[in-house]
Amino acid sequence: MDVPISYYVVLSGLVFSIGLIGVLIRRNIIIILLSVELMLNATNINFVAFSSYLGNLSGQVFVFFALTVAAAEVAVGLAIIIALYRHSSSINIDDFRLLKW
Amino acid sequence: METFVFFYFASIIVLTAGFVVALKNPIYSALALLVMFFHVAGLFVTLHAEFLAIIQILVYAGAILVLYLFVVMLLNLKREEHFHGQFIVGLFLGCVLFAEAVLLVLKGETTLGENLADSAAPIELTRGNTESIGELLYSTYLFPFEVASLILLVAMVGAVILTKKGILEVKG
């Protein structure tokens, strides 16, 4: 293990921050969901790195569960996007202010 | 050598992650994400998580990303929009959060390293990675495993109901 674990933590923090910025600044809902995928992947990198360095396989099992949840999130998220697009022919986040008074 | 491989994967991951956020066309963003998934899988291989590397490619690149591309092409978007009005604020917040994370890691590095050195036990190589994960999944994590299947079922039902015409429309 030549690479210190802090490198992995910094890499994962960087990817997570990029994903967070993407969620905050983009208007396209699809890109926002893609950015959420980025954040999930950042946590996965962390899990696997710590699992490998601690010699404990539980971290890898948790990545497995994170994958499951990511798949479910994508299925429901894309279904919502399609329903929204049918409703107002747009996936620009600025067009959806139904809950705003 | 290991350091070089790590920096190769890390730089490509960060670069493509930036592309995902910065590119205008959603299809290009999705393809950049595809490249990123492959490099994350490569990183998993260097960390001796071969099973997860394969699963990462199969599930993320094979299923999730295809679903994204399918929806992007289905919706036939005109290229409008780009960044939100709160661009500056978002960028600033992201940078601050990242700086905080780096500071925390740098401050805690000494204790982190010591703890890891104490408990560093190499994963036994008598059995394969897949076999060990399978045994753990069906013994210690049996209940979460079943819950995961329930989550997938609920997601499936939810996706069908949401996309079915005539259920969500307002009556009258």
Side-chain angles (χ1 to χ4, degrees), chain B residues 3 17 27 30-31 33 41-42 45 50 52 54 64-65 69 71 73 75 92 95 113 118 120 154 161-162:
Chain B
T3 320
I27 293 182
L31 290 179
L33 198 66
V45 170
E50 293 88 359
L52 279 180
I54 293 297
I64 292 183
L65 217 67
L69 285 174
V71 169
M73 293 176 178
L75 294 188
F92 177 71
C95 292
D118 282 346
V154 170
I161 287 184
L162 277 171

Side-chain angles (χ1 to χ4, degrees), chain B residues 11 19 22 34 39 46 131 142:
Chain B
S11 54
F19 280 155
L34 177 71
H39 283 82
T46 64
E131 201 180 337
L142 184 61

Side-chain angles (χ1 to χ4, degrees), chain A residues 25-26 37 41 54 85-86, chain B residues 21 37 56 60 84 163:
Chain A
I25 70 177
R26 290 305 297 259
E37 293 297 323
N41 255 280
L54 291 172
Y85 187 73
R86 275 201 196 130
Chain B
V21 173
F37 284 154
Q56 170 97 4
Y60 266 122
H84 200 277
T163 47

